[in-house]
Amino acid sequence: MSTAPDPYRPVRRMRARDRRESHRVSTPLELFFDLCFVVAIAQAGRELAHALAEGHYAAALTGYATAFFAVWWAWMNFTWFASAYDVDDVPYRLTTLVQITGVLVLAAGVPRIFEDRDLVLGVAGYVLMRLAMVTQWLRAARGESGPARTCALRYAVGISVVQVFWVVLLFLPHGTQGPLFPLGVLVELAVPVWAEKDNQTPWHRHHIVERYGLFTIIVLGETVAAATVAVQAALDEHRAVAELLPIAAGGLLICFGAWWIYFADDSHDHLRDNRQALPWGYGHYLVFASAAAVGAGLEVAAEHAVGTAHLSARAASAAVTIPTALFLVTVWALHSRHHKRGAAQAVLPLAALSVLAATLAGESAVLIAGLLVALAVATGLILSAKRS
């Protein structure tokens, strides 16, 4: 029997939903949540592109990893919580809107993270999102009993403690913030492991796979949009059609191929408990981050093609080929290797290595990388057809 929430009840008791619930799909609120989070991802991608184009590689990678972790972790925590406890009543909706407000504040602070390593606005937005999540877990604890209640309270306590750490970090000298930041990340990642060690929250595996898939689509869409704007701006200012056309073609092939490869296999059969779900969910940091970074790399490649980027041709190409290869390897590790047999297992790892090698082609690298991704898709289809 379905335990879907009744949207006409303004306040409901928050109890766990049935893991066997049929026809469980993403709600309009969840989709709105995703779209607002992509605002922060777009900001991080733009700042990454600008920093790379200026040749500030260390600042680019550090700033991007920092900003993207904050966005991804807040999104991931809400997604798994909603899969287990979404009651879709007025308090739930209002609390979720507070989280959306937090990500918009974080998005406004992303440029400061890159330019001045100023974490104040970013941390303020992040803490706002996370404290809203604490109220959700406390509400879940009121509606539960036994191990489920203990699990919810552990989440509330663990998240709260880490937020204190982030606030304290703001008052420390800049020289100590960088080394201490990974410690905060590790503690954040450890909270779900600790909270669920005696009780697994009843997330719905079909719902989770759909949520991750939809967010992947949105991130890839933002990548296409960012690359389109970059190519259009370069054309308007420099009319360099011959230089930009290979980048546009290669970028489209990469994005189309990334979509095809991600959705070639269904992961819900693999997600049966937390032993599979935690690595799968955590691993998507690299899937989302690399997909968004491809868009930033295409911006850098377009700027280099018209002579406005301060880096070499190989460095500009690497801004595209490295995240593309990372995407291919991560999707293989999380999805494809559980479904492929025989020679098909080697397609994506070999494609990733080939894409990395294409970096040496310099200005032609983006187009070659796109063709290699398309070849990987075609090879996978041929091998699947032979096996069937």
Side-chain angles (χ1 to χ4, degrees):
M1 178 180 296
S2 173
T3 58
D6 179 4
Y8 298 101
R9 294 182 63 181
V11 180
R12 304 178 76 248
R13 185 181 182 187
M14 184 174 279
R15 296 293 301 274
R17 296 180 65 161
D18 187 353
R19 297 191 69 169
R20 299 166 297 178
E21 182 181 338
S22 60
H23 308 295
R24 180 72 190 277
V25 296
S26 299
T27 66
L29 180 60
E30 288 176 318
L31 297 177
F32 183 48
F33 185 86
D34 291 357
L35 288 171
C36 292
F37 265 62
V38 171
V39 173
I41 291 176
Q43 280 278 58
R46 279 194 292 271
E47 294 300 323
L48 173 64
H50 295 160
L52 289 175
E54 293 297 323
H56 302 152
Y57 306 129
L61 296 178
T62 302
Y64 186 69
T66 300
F68 207 96
F69 171 80
V71 176
W72 162 76
W73 188 241
W75 177 89
M76 179 172 161
N77 275 227
F78 170 80
T79 296
W80 290 79
F81 175 86
S83 189
Y85 288 104
D86 183 359
V87 292
D88 199 30
D89 59 5
V90 171
Y92 179 86
R93 291 183 176 189
L94 291 176
T95 306
T96 303
L97 294 178
V98 171
Q99 291 178 267
I100 291 174
T101 302
V103 79
L104 297 178
V105 174
L106 170 62
V110 167
R112 300 186 181 189
I113 294 175
F114 278 84
E115 295 168 7
D116 306 316
R117 296 185 182 180
D118 183 353
L119 300 176
V120 174
L121 196 56
V123 168
Y126 181 76
V127 170
L128 179 60
M129 289 188 288
R130 303 298 281 142
L131 291 181
M133 197 71 253
V134 169
T135 66
Q136 298 277 40
W137 280 114
L138 289 174
R139 190 179 172 204
R142 288 186 60 187
E144 294 285 17
S145 60
R149 174 180 169 83
T150 301
C151 175
L153 289 174
R154 283 177 177 175
Y155 265 112
V157 171
I159 294 171
S160 299
V161 168
V162 187
Q163 302 325 295
V164 173
F165 173 86
W166 294 125
V167 173
V168 171
L169 189 68
L170 296 179
F171 295 92
L172 299 179
H174 278 281
T176 61
Q177 289 179 352
L180 287 176
F181 185 86
L183 175 61
V185 169
L186 290 175
V187 178
E188 287 274 18
L189 296 175
V191 169
V193 179
W194 169 64
E196 302 203 19
K197 70 184 183 71
D198 299 318
N199 180 80
Q200 179 178 294
T201 54
W203 43 269
H204 193 289
R205 59 179 179 170
H206 292 274
H207 177 247
I208 285 293
V209 170
E210 182 193 40
R211 295 287 294 115
Y212 273 72
L214 289 173
F215 200 64
T216 300
I217 291 174
I218 293 173
V219 172
L220 288 173
E222 169 56 32
T223 295
V224 173
T228 301
V229 170
V231 171
Q232 179 184 353
L235 281 173
D236 290 342
E237 294 180 15
H238 302 279
R239 310 290 181 185
V241 177
E243 291 82 1
L244 293 169
L245 188 58
I247 295 172
L252 281 177
L253 287 173
I254 290 170
C255 292
F256 293 166
W259 171 85
W260 195 297
I261 288 166
Y262 184 90
F263 292 99
D265 301 297
D266 194 347
S267 294
H268 74 270
D269 286 335
H270 175 62
L271 302 183
R272 298 191 176 276
D273 55 39
N274 281 2
R275 186 176 59 180
Q276 295 90 25
L278 283 175
W280 186 87
Y282 285 10
H284 269 76
Y285 171 82
L286 296 177
V287 173
F288 297 150
S290 60
V294 169
L298 291 171
E299 290 187 54
V300 173
E303 290 185 25
H304 178 270
V306 296
T308 58
H310 302 91
L311 71 173
S312 67
R314 286 185 179 177
S317 299
V320 178
T321 58
I322 290 177
T324 300
L326 182 59
F327 180 91
L328 295 175
V329 168
T330 309
V331 171
W332 171 80
L334 298 180
H335 288 191
S336 304
R337 68 185 180 89
H338 303 295
H339 304 274
K340 305 299 183 185
R341 298 291 182 272
Q345 279 283 8
V347 172
L348 291 184
L350 288 177
L353 290 174
S354 300
V355 167
L356 285 177
T359 307
L360 301 176
E363 295 178 355
S364 303
V366 175
L367 179 58
I368 294 173
L371 292 172
L372 289 169
V373 172
L375 178 61
V377 172
T379 304
L381 289 173
I382 293 171
L383 292 175
S384 297
K386 288 182 178 180
R387 189 172 67 246
S388 61

